[in-house]
Amino acid sequence: MQRSQSHAAPVATSEPLPGLRTLVPVIVLMAVTYVFYGWDRLVMPVELVEIRRTLNLDQKAAGFMASIFTLGIAVLSLPAGILVARLGLKRALGISTLVFSCGTLLSGMANTVPMLVAGRLATGAGESLFSIALLMIIVALFPRWRGTAIGGATAIFGLSMFVGPRMVLAMQDMGGGDWRFPFKLMGGAGVATGLCLLLFVPDRLQAEEAAPAILGDFSWLRSRPLQAVYVMAAANGLCCYAYMSLFQTYARIGQHLTPTQASLAFGCFGIGNILGGVPIGLVLDRTDRFRGVAILSALTGLTGAALFMWSLHETSAIVFSLIFGVGIGGIYGNCYALARENAPAARASLAIGVLLTVYYLAASTSGYVFVLAMGDDFTANLRGALLMFLLPYTLAACVMFATKRA
């Protein structure tokens, strides 16, 4: 079966990679940081009912607030691709974590909607820089197993999704029931982690390419396989964040599940990410990744539609969330691998920056679009299931099947 076999450029231009003893603590520290990122994303979905009540938001405004941080990621992903090459991985990782954590702290101090929006946008800005730096490390360290390695990162994120809702509720209890306290606690921990990244990541860990390589010919962006990958990323971003931002609110208000039941189902979505990331990446690393992602997209659209199409019970919520998470995790990691494989090695960070831009631009509209599709009271769930999940994944799969590759 046909598959691109391009290889990553060396991580350093003049010095070898740091040794294993140096890299392992750095990777562990990055994994801990990634868990904080995942937990921060969950505060809004878990606490959205309380936040909506406190700030007097209607359902559409609450849906928009739940995914607004993704707009910060989308806007800054392209310049972030250039910044990673200019700053180097050490400073990119540390600075991005500090920006993200300060945004989390600001969210915890918010008593008005504009202040909360500013905090969420700042978290998105920090995450855009961190995500590109993290993925550049992965594709450089594992050039022949990109899908598997990115799947490993997805598994870490999925683990944070599984334990995250209960951690957020536990932190809220620690703060006396205040929805702001989890933001404050995680923001403070994140600032400490960012300083550790700046202090302990070795200087020799550099971005793949020198900054001037970003400039010049951009004709590679017009290649049809790469554009098809970006269409798939947009569909995945829209549907993934529609679920992540509003599933728990939908389950509680529209389907009358308890907060504990909704959180458990959401946690199983995280387990699905774990189960889908590495195994699917492992298979597609050695088969036809392009066609494999197209097939996975069609199946994920069917699962997402089934999750929202009928009345939801605790068991069905768990099972369908788990399967949906498997599909989301498999598509996510392999889209990054495809973007890297279909772009010149010297343009890797920019190609990933473009992918993040389209992914999170779609994600930034997901909360608002979800409410439009499902209705303010979530009673139009049949229409919403078809328009919000089945249609985007099916169209993206058709685009990939119809794309001819060299």
Side-chain angles (χ1 to χ4, degrees):
M1 300 182 96
Q2 185 177 6
R3 189 178 69 85
S4 175
Q5 293 285 346
S6 58
H7 298 279
V11 170
T13 55
S14 59
E15 295 181 83
L17 272 170
L20 188 61
R21 288 186 179 181
T22 303
L23 280 176
V24 169
V26 171
I27 291 172
V28 170
L29 190 56
M30 288 190 298
V32 170
T33 306
Y34 205 30
V35 169
F36 281 136
Y37 278 64
W39 287 354
D40 173 88
R41 295 182 189 186
L42 292 179
V43 178
M44 290 294 290
V46 172
E47 307 285 6
L48 191 58
V49 174
E50 289 75 17
I51 294 171
R52 178 188 174 195
R53 188 181 302 122
T54 301
L55 300 179
N56 196 27
L57 302 173
D58 61 28
Q59 195 68 270
K60 288 187 177 69
F64 180 71
M65 288 295 297
S67 57
I68 185 62
F69 78 96
T70 58
L71 185 60
I73 303 176
V75 169
L76 289 177
S77 287
L78 279 178
I82 298 173
L83 277 173
V84 167
R86 291 187 179 277
L87 292 174
L89 294 180
K90 174 179 179 175
R91 285 186 291 173
L93 289 170
I95 292 171
S96 64
T97 303
L98 289 175
V99 171
F100 176 90
S101 302
C102 288
T104 302
L105 283 171
L106 182 61
S107 301
M109 295 184 288
N111 51 23
T112 64
V113 171
M115 193 172 177
L116 183 58
V117 168
R120 303 317 294 152
L121 288 174
T123 63
E127 185 167 350
S128 65
L129 192 61
F130 180 87
S131 296
I132 294 176
L134 177 66
L135 290 165
M136 290 298 293
I137 293 173
I138 290 172
V139 299
L141 290 177
F142 306 98
R144 294 181 180 272
W145 299 93
R146 296 187 185 102
T148 307
I150 297 173
T154 304
I156 293 171
F157 183 77
L159 183 61
S160 74
M161 293 290 102
F162 177 67
V163 301
R166 280 166 286 183
M167 289 298 299
V168 169
L169 291 173
M171 286 185 278
Q172 184 185 16
D173 290 341
M174 288 172 58
D178 184 7
W179 60 264
R180 297 177 177 87
F181 185 76
F183 282 127
K184 295 176 182 177
L185 185 61
M186 288 189 295
V191 169
T193 305
L195 292 174
C196 288
L197 286 168
L198 285 173
L199 290 173
F200 299 121
V201 172
D203 292 325
R204 285 183 295 162
L205 200 62
Q206 297 298 324
E208 275 193 316
E209 71 276 351
I214 293 294
L215 306 176
D217 181 22
F218 293 96
S219 60
W220 54 274
L221 281 170
R222 296 195 297 270
S223 75
R224 290 190 177 182
L226 192 58
Q227 289 177 352
V229 171
Y230 290 155
V231 169
M232 179 62 70
N236 203 41
L238 176 69
C239 299
C240 174
Y241 275 90
Y243 177 93
M244 287 179 57
S245 300
L246 282 168
F247 170 76
Q248 293 182 82
T249 303
Y250 165 83
R252 291 173 61 182
I253 294 176
Q255 300 294 321
H256 309 294
L257 269 64
T258 67
T260 301
Q261 290 171 333
S263 295
L264 178 60
F266 187 89
C268 289
F269 170 80
I271 291 296
N273 272 255
I274 297 172
L275 297 176
V278 173
I280 293 176
L282 192 63
V283 171
L284 296 186
D285 276 334
R286 286 293 168 260
T287 56
D288 187 340
R289 193 191 313 279
F290 202 86
R291 294 291 180 251
V293 169
I295 294 169
L296 187 60
S297 175
L299 295 175
T300 304
L302 289 171
T303 304
L307 174 61
F308 290 93
M309 191 175 293
W310 296 290
S311 296
L312 203 60
H313 304 285
E314 182 179 8
T315 302
S316 62
I318 289 172
V319 172
F320 282 116
S321 292
L322 178 70
I323 300 171
F324 189 57
V326 171
I328 291 281
I331 294 171
Y332 180 84
N334 284 284
C335 274
Y336 282 109
L338 283 170
R340 173 62 188 82
E341 290 169 354
N342 286 278
R347 306 295 199 275
S349 63
L350 183 57
I352 291 174
V354 174
L355 186 139
L356 281 172
T357 298
V358 298
Y359 181 88
Y360 283 109
L361 274 176
S364 68
T365 67
S366 61
Y368 187 78
V369 173
F370 183 92
V371 175
L372 282 180
M374 296 285 182
D376 286 344
D377 54 0
F378 301 128
T379 55
N381 54 312
L382 176 59
R383 179 189 69 191
L386 298 176
L387 294 178
M388 189 75 234
F389 296 96
L390 184 62
L391 183 62
Y393 276 122
T394 302
L395 288 176
C398 289
V399 168
M400 294 195 80
F401 278 124
T403 299
K404 294 182 179 180
R405 293 171 292 161

